Amino acid sequence: AQSVTQPDARVTVSEGASLQLRCKYSYSATPYLFWYVQYPRQGLQLLLKYYSGDPVVQGVNSFEAEFSKSNSSFHLQKASVHWSDSAVYFCALSMTNTGKLTFGDGTVLTVKP
Amino acid sequence: GPKVLQIPSHQIIDMGQMVTLNCDPVSNHLYFYWYKQILGQQMEFLVNFYNGKVMEKSKLFKDQFSVERPDGSYFTLKIQPTALEDSAVYFCASSLVQGYTGQLYFGEGSKLTVL
């Protein structure tokens, strides 16, 4: 069965620092991959997605993610974080093109001023 | 941006009672979804719905669960009767098109506590 693992439950970084949030998946083929963010008192919002092509995908708010088939990973990165990036970040995959997503546990990001 | 509204944000009920969770999707969206997140666990897919029909459901979508969208209004999740294990946060989502090319918009969740 497919699964998504986000090994870091909580990450704290200083404003202006670079960021990497890790995501590993388990699936026999290349799945559809997504990163969502949930800001306080809001619904999940799509940051970026990947299925094929350039393994580095750009998303909103200067986030990007890199797909690695050999490592079964889809790590999220940002060169310089802002305090407003504090939120919960979810990695997700879909095996089919139906909107049925399998989510990771989420990573709580805290950006210190 | 587009918003999905969920009502109520929190409901407490006794085991065995019926509960209806309401979702006001993005106005022109055609596909609707419910996800369930038990405290401390991953968010899990329950069901998706299109053109008045359930398209796909998971094993979590028990016989006591039903969904509908009467007259194009709220997309509802009804649980009758409720059980203790139904305590969770339920997230509604909607999309204009299905799958990867579409984008799911999620609500803030409805927290259900079954006593």
Side-chain angles (χ1 to χ4, degrees):
Chain A
Q2 76 285 359
S3 66
V4 176
T5 301
Q6 294 180 247
D8 305 308
R10 293 183 177 275
V11 170
T12 300
V13 297
S14 297
E15 193 167 28
S18 62
L19 171 72
Q20 183 185 70
L21 300 181
R22 296 183 292 163
C23 173
K24 299 268 289 183
Y25 69 88
S26 174
Y27 183 54
S28 55
T30 299
Y32 302 90
L33 291 161
F34 306 82
W35 274 99
Y36 282 85
V37 60
Q38 186 175 29
Y39 298 105
R41 294 173 297 283
Q42 296 186 30
L44 276 73
Q45 300 171 35
L46 181 67
L47 275 180
L48 46 78
K49 59 185 179 182
Y50 174 80
Y51 178 61
S52 64
D54 188 337
V56 178
V57 291
Q58 307 294 323
V60 299
N61 294 338
S62 302
F63 282 96
E64 66 177 34
E66 183 167 5
F67 168 71
S68 171
K69 186 171 183 176
S70 59
N71 293 325
S72 297
S73 67
F74 189 55
H75 300 329
L76 182 70
Q77 295 163 115
K78 187 169 183 177
S80 176
V81 295
H82 186 264
W83 65 265
S84 60
D85 292 324
S86 296
V88 184
Y89 291 79
F90 293 93
C91 183
L93 70 78
S94 179
M95 299 180 295
T96 59
N97 197 20
T98 61
K100 176 182 176 183
L101 300 174
T102 298
F103 283 91
D105 287 332
T107 297
V108 178
L109 173 66
T110 303
V111 180
K112 297 187 301 184
Chain B
K3 286 196 181 296
V4 173
L5 300 177
Q6 291 189 238
I7 303 165
S9 57
H10 191 189
Q11 181 138 12
I12 302 172
I13 60 171
D14 291 322
M15 184 176 61
Q17 285 190 309
M18 181 195 75
V19 67
T20 300
L21 304 179
N22 298 292
C23 172
D24 187 9
V26 179
S27 62
N28 60 339
H29 283 188
L30 301 174
Y31 295 84
F32 311 104
Y33 313 81
W34 283 103
Y35 283 80
K36 174 183 180 181
Q37 186 176 32
I38 295 173
L39 185 65
Q41 298 184 23
Q42 295 173 339
M43 194 180 313
E44 294 185 89
F45 171 82
L46 278 178
V47 65
N48 58 12
F49 185 86
Y50 168 73
N51 198 25
K53 301 188 186 103
V54 169
M55 297 178 61
E56 187 177 7
K57 59 185 180 181
S58 73
K59 62 181 187 302
L60 296 179
F61 194 80
K62 303 179 298 184
D63 291 343
Q64 297 90 327
F65 288 39
S66 62
V67 291
E68 62 176 356
R69 192 182 186 217
D71 301 324
S73 58
Y74 285 158
F75 175 51
T76 63
L77 173 65
K78 183 185 292 186
I79 309 173
Q80 181 177 28
T82 51
L84 294 176
E85 61 265 27
D86 297 331
S87 292
V89 180
Y90 292 84
F91 292 91
C92 174
S94 69
S95 64
L96 178 60
V97 298
Q98 188 182 23
Y100 181 77
T101 50
Q103 178 175 332
L104 268 66
Y105 290 83
F106 284 83
E108 294 179 39
S110 292
K111 183 178 181 180
L112 175 65
T113 301
V114 181
L115 302 176

